Amino acid sequence: MDQQHQTTASAPEPEKPAGTAYLYEIPGKPMSIYVDFDLIDRLGFEIMRGFGAVPRRGAEVGGILLGSAETGERTVLRIEDFVPVDCEHMRGPSYILSETDLHNLDEAIAKWTPAPDKRIHVVGFYRSNTRDVMQLAPEDLTLLEKRFPMQTAICLLVKPYATRASEATFFYRENGEFPSDPAQQTFPFRRKELGGGKPARRPRGVEVADPELETAATGYNLTVEEPQLPQHPEPVELPALAALSLNGLAAAGPRNQSAIDQALPDPLPRSKYRSGWIWIPLSFIFLLLGVVLGFQIALSYKSQKAPDAATDPYLLDLTLVQFGENLHLKWNTDTLAFRNAKRGILHIQDGDNSKTVELKQEDLSRGGVLYRNATNNVKFRLEIFPRDRNSVAESLETRILEEAKPSQAAK
């Protein structure tokens, strides 16, 4: 059996190196699709960027898939790269191409048309899906029919989520036509959930600017922290007296005690103040000083003691930080309220727009969400349910100064 992660068990197929690709199959269908984990990482970045660009729904992105196809008793596709094709979004956040967009798509397809000198070529079409149902829209079917006429052409749809891994599915021709019904089978579109393991390096073409985004796209934090070297203390020189004594000992030897005596200095004369009576008042002063210092230290510890968040049943401990062009809302999962929380609801008021996100127990355990704000006035309200009929809620509002907010590129 192929050693790569599979959706279902099947007869042995031509293998790629273990651990480099995910194998997608549907039982009873003569189609095997290998998807490079590196492509999943990079395409995940592009899709999550678009998802965070527009409030509420997120903007869809799309383009062409590159790879190779082997036909025979069983069709085997290998997807290794992609080329994004920008959309003007003249009809809203959906990926519906204008005439200019279609012209750019035709140029990309022409550049990657199969040829003897090309190892990879266009094998299909992809787009993200921020709509309610995972299915091909009428404009998708028209696009695939006119511009992807090859029998082995495929279409990849990826549905992004704010708090969990994206979901994906493939569509391909059956009896010469693409299906128009909703997808019956999906798979998580993220390396971590597919068993690809943490990559040894950041995917090519991906900048280091947003670690939160890379975690959402790959499931891993790829930011490598430089190891801190231990700081060694400066070498301490031996006192001159010790050096002198050792030198004198080495030079004199065991039989010349007079040389050792000459190397050592004369003992200090006895001070006239070493009488016993002087220590009585000094001891009393030190004792009084110790009592005063101890009292002051105890007061400082008492005043600095923070309230125990783990014992407050109504504390969610919401915090908000601005990270690049995003807002990162965090909560303290160590508080008592989160220990038995089964689900939650996050309400977001972004200017005049409102959005509600359902949070599962695994979403709450992550301790935060990333949100791309559209206005400078954003209000969050997190409500969690330790029991079915009881809930705990906490709100947080932020106002961002114009000069402090990074400029956003128009999309």
Side-chain angles (χ1 to χ4, degrees), residues 207-276:
E207 63 274 9
V208 195
D210 199 335
E212 296 288 346
L213 184 60
E214 80 180 7
T215 302
T218 67
Y220 296 100
N221 183 1
L222 306 182
T223 302
V224 179
E225 297 183 357
E226 295 294 333
Q228 297 294 329
L229 297 177
Q231 296 183 356
H232 298 286
E234 295 293 331
V236 180
E237 296 184 0
L238 293 174
L241 176 61
L244 181 62
S245 300
L246 292 175
N247 292 335
L249 178 61
R255 296 184 180 181
N256 195 348
Q257 184 65 30
S258 61
I260 298 176
D261 295 338
Q262 293 176 3
L264 294 174
D266 293 333
L268 296 174
R270 182 180 180 87
S271 173
K272 63 180 180 179
Y273 296 108
R274 295 182 62 185
S275 302

Side-chain angles (χ1 to χ4, degrees), residues 324-352:
E325 297 181 350
N326 303 305
L327 294 177
H328 190 192
L329 178 68
K330 300 180 181 180
W331 50 82
N332 186 358
T333 57
D334 294 329
T335 60
L336 185 62
F338 281 101
R339 291 182 183 176
N340 300 317
K342 303 299 182 183
R343 64 185 182 91
I345 301 176
L346 179 60
H347 304 275
I348 305 173
Q349 185 69 36
D350 192 348
D352 295 331

